[in-house]
Amino acid sequence: MSFGYITRRFRFCASHRYWVSNWTEEENQAMFGSRTSKYGHGHNYILDVTLKGEVNPVTGMVINLSEVKRIIGAVVKRFDHRFLNVDLPWFSDLQPTAENVARVFWNLIEPGLPAGVFLHRVRLYTTESVFAEFFGDEGEAVFSKRFSFSATHRLQSDSLTEKENRDVYGKCNNEHGHGHNYEVIVSVQQLIDAVTGMTMPLKELEKKVRDFLNTELQGKRLDMEVAYFRNKPATSENLISFIREGLEQKLGPCLYRIKLKETNNNFFETGELFDGQ
Ligand SMILES: [Zn+2]
Ligand SMILES: [Zn+2]
């Protein structure tokens, strides 16, 4: 029998706030900013649940999607149009961060699955650019943020003749370069802090990644202004290696995965786990 993974997307709208009750107003403000408001703030959450199991040779399915909708839909319904901190019991003493909400979904969905079907990943988007993933490893989660920068390049290899360069790279070999709005999705894996409910606070991740992107890449002609590309073509495969090396310096061993999108039609990945999405 073969093994398969299936992912089903769910959506719900809810509000939440971040507040540590034994911290002062100032301490809460410093950590969470406007997200401390007692009235909460809202998100159009997107929940991607990935299940795995043997493919049934008769039905050709891991699990019938109508069963997925019924089991997980019932869980999601409890979150929809709620103020998570107040309306749901699990968040009375647990910060409803993306990491913790993904973890609670895991714990609620897992017991309802039929025999032979397992949870692989719960991914929760709070915005299009910020999401958390939980893999069932109690206490640990992956947190991701999408960044962008603009740069130009010319694809050219010193080891090839002018004609060979034109043949290999085509219009990307244009002498005067061309540009992209690159997107980088940076993922870190860490323990979920018991007090803040966060892996790496968003502000810290943003600062470290933006520092690197702004200093090294934003507004640059890669093949001329970035030393790393003096001896290698400024392709996205090489660019993602450059970004990984730079971010390893800033983020350390918690760096989990990097995705680089050159245009809407192609992206590149490096890291612990190939994701393919
Ligand atoms: Zn929020
Ligand atoms: Zn290009």
Side-chain angles (χ1 to χ4, degrees), residues 147-170:
F147 298 86
S148 61
F149 65 92
S150 160
T152 64
H153 65 169
R154 176 197 195 188
L155 297 187
Q156 162 101 342
S157 170
D158 295 344
S159 311
L160 300 174
T161 65
E162 270 188 39
K163 181 177 181 314
E164 286 169 334
N165 268 303
R166 276 198 303 277
D167 289 346
V168 169
Y169 298 117

Side-chain angles (χ1 to χ4, degrees), residues 151-155 171-173 177-180 182 222 234-236 262-263 266:
T152 64
H153 65 169
R154 176 197 195 188
L155 297 187
K171 61 188 178 184
C172 300
N173 186 236
H178 66 280
H180 299 288
Y182 289 94
L222 302 178
T235 58
S236 285
E262 189 181 62
T263 71
N266 46 20

Side-chain angles (χ1 to χ4, degrees), residues 16 18 35 41 43:
H16 68 165
Y18 297 150
R35 295 175 295 171
H41 65 277
H43 295 292

